[in-house]
Amino acid sequence: MRQSLAIFAKDARRFWLEILICVALLIALVVVYPSTWSVAGFPDGVGRVRFFGGAGPTGILAGVLVVLIPIAWLVLIARVVHCERLVGDTQFWLTRPYDWRKLLGSKLLYLAAFLYVPFFVAQCALLREGGFQPFHYVGGLLFNLLLLTAVGVLPLMALATITRGFGRLMLVLLGVALVIVAALITSFVMPSHVTSSVPDILSGDLALTVIFCGSLAAIILMYARRSAKAGWLLLIAITLIMCSTAYFDPDSALVDHYYPELSPIAAAPVRFAYGAQGLDQPGASFTDDKHAVDIAIPIVASGVQDGYVAIPEALKIIMTNASGEKWESPWQGYMTERILPGMHTTWIHFRMRRSVYEQFRSMPVTLRIPIATTMARKAGESVIPLQDADFTVPEIGVCQPRRWTFKPDEMMGITCRSAMNEPQLTYVSALWTQGGCEAGAAVDQNHVVTKSWVGELGPGPAELGITSVWDADVNLSQPKYAQSEQERWSLCEGSPMRFTQYLPAKRLREDVTISGFRLPEPANGTI
Amino acid sequence: MKFAIRTENLGRKFGSTVALNGVGVEVPEGAIYALVGPNGAGKTTLIKLLMNIFWPSEGSATVLGQDSRRVAAGVFCQIGYVSENQEAPDWMQVGEMLRYYRNFYPRWDRDLETQLVRQFDLPLDRKLKHLSRGMRMKAAFASSLAYRPHLIVLDEPLSGLDPLVRDELIVGLLDRAPETTVFLSSHDLAEIEGFSSHVGFLEKGRLLFQEEMASLTARFREVTVTLNGPATVPAGVPSSWLQVEAADSVLRFVHSNYSEDESPAELATFFPAARDIRADAMRLREVFLAIAKSNRGVGQSESEARPSLEVKA
């Protein structure tokens, strides 16, 4: 322990400036970031950084800080690892009684003291500023640190262990970025009808596990053996595994298992049927990819019970013709759609190879369309009058009205802040009043309800973010265009807003079968 | 006899380049062993193998009884290592560095540290990066001697230093010598001749020989035979005679196996008509030059047959 503390103290003395910069940036973020909450649509989280002009100089500064903080951490990590670099044979410490476990322990202690603790404190401070009690979000805060460790700290530390200095590290980072970009570009070039795109079932966790364990193994290997060759091989393998997911989505193999087929005798929580009627007819169109054709088929969804919502997540097409020829698409993501009780027409879109289209278009085919669906059930509901200030919404967080940019005295929706993550999937409805709000939301006036969804189904304890407070806009569009001042619709203070939360209840797979279906002619040209 | 360092058939390759080949070094405890050889002979590679900085491609080595591949923190507490090529924590002041290293050595002797600082006249408040090369080397010596290591390993420690600093370092080293084993490498024979007890000669990755210094200097003699008539190199010259040359009436050679008891009679028998036979002691540098030249002048198989080139413990 004495040795670890000595190394820690030495590093702290040597890199005081780097530490100071990291802490100063976090303090600046805690000071600046809350001022952006009053501006609708300001981004949150590290993954969604934009320089939102509407947020003004403080918004730009907050955006810059969200970018600068990870860079400062990169420098902090690289410098402390390279201080006792592991590559080479002339380092001063190689022939001193350094125990590798204590050396590694001292580096981790350093990161804990000067990266994790300040970050944790900054996140707590932001939560408090956002109107949340940090004590209630300890799990989320720690999970965010875990995510930061898995996708940021450990990979950077692993790369630092196999490089001689900061310059080399930057070159390696550039190389890794180029490999990832190349993999993404080549995966985009691949025809989309041969690649799968399904909701994240396991691949996200798998990727995190591979990066976390691989980086950790590389770090331990380097500290214990200083085998740069083995370290490089391990990190190249991790990079290649991650890049391979651009071509092969492991989740596609799990859809059948993850969304079990609905038993024929069980009551279907949602029913899908072919819905061609009136103007809703199947269509086809060419895509930018000249070898592919997009097909759209109307589907009627019904049978959703009160208190439930059906969320189709993925589908695939199995097409057969009278000659016994068969074509099966990979699993494809469904367009975001949430089906409430009642009857709804929805559209299925899929892409097929043009040669396959030509093969099947001449005669009727039978389509079997398995649809992977998640059922969510109502978990809670609250009705809260709209206030012209911050107001708390259970299960969401703290909300405030959004105003028109050109009419700042009129409200157009709300923006909600949630802690550590997007809020639970919530259906929001609001009452718009015809005319102005001078008399408040008077009962004798005409009213229209507008609705919107916010949040995601079953969010984890936290999503990776530099900030611990997430913004979510609830866009409650004006019901219709107003011809005159008397006809205009207003969202008034005191107007009741209904927030209905949904939780995941069941996953299922249901088939839609369409017999005697003819592939439609392309609407944008002849073949 | 106990050995502080012992290698057996030690070899190391870097790709297709053979840096060391079949090296068998034996450093008795308490010895001051000088590993000499020209630049590129493999001295630094051998030391890095011993210090577990490199791993051997073949063979094995033990350092203070520990397999070199397991030399780690516990063993390094007993080893003082100084190399001309080693980096230093340049950002530290000398005093800061000494205070830092104290944490790593249970046997760190504060009094000895003070004594070494005084002896080497080290400026404690100066950063290492602002010191001259000689001062940096003195700081490295102080930080490697203050814990009374059982083994001191020095890789070209005196190379390029001015004579004054060199003497200071040697004195500092010799002060510690009675309680330790010293293993040092050098390409400069003159700098190690005065204080080494054992010497090993490494060339092109092979250990040509190793021997006690006293024995080596005793058995090498430059023999000058003055004849009455013109001298020619006689047939059947013993293999222990190196660099046999004849000029006018004088025959010169290096006797690599000279014995005060037997060799005068042997020479008198070989040169019965000699007017004068002289056998002069040789400096270490001359011994090595004779060996090196002799080794280069003959085929490998022939050179291996020469007794002067045999490895002797």
Side-chain angles (χ1 to χ4, degrees), chain A residues 85 89-90 95-98, chain B residues 54 81 86-87 100 105 143:
Chain A
R85 68 183 163 82
D89 55 27
T90 56
T95 51
R96 298 286 176 179
Y98 273 67
Chain B
F54 295 152
Y81 172 84
Q86 195 176 31
E87 295 162 10
Y100 176 61
Y105 297 96
S143 70

Side-chain angles (χ1 to χ4, degrees), chain B residues 131-142:
Chain B
L131 297 181
S132 66
R133 189 166 182 283
M135 271 301 181
R136 284 161 61 96
M137 199 52 86
K138 285 200 275 187
F141 262 71

Side-chain angles (χ1 to χ4, degrees), chain A residues 290-309:
Chain A
K290 61 183 179 182
H291 299 297
V293 179
D294 272 347
I295 309 288
I297 298 174
I299 295 287
V300 172
S302 61
V304 176
Q305 292 179 327
D306 281 344
Y308 282 85
V309 59

Side-chain angles (χ1 to χ4, degrees), chain B residues 46-68:
Chain B
L46 174 57
I47 287 176
K48 286 186 172 174
L49 285 168
L50 298 174
M51 295 295 100
N52 195 18
I53 295 172
F54 295 152
W55 274 31
S57 307
E58 60 179 12
S60 64
T62 53
V63 180
L64 297 176
Q66 184 80 44
D67 187 312
S68 66

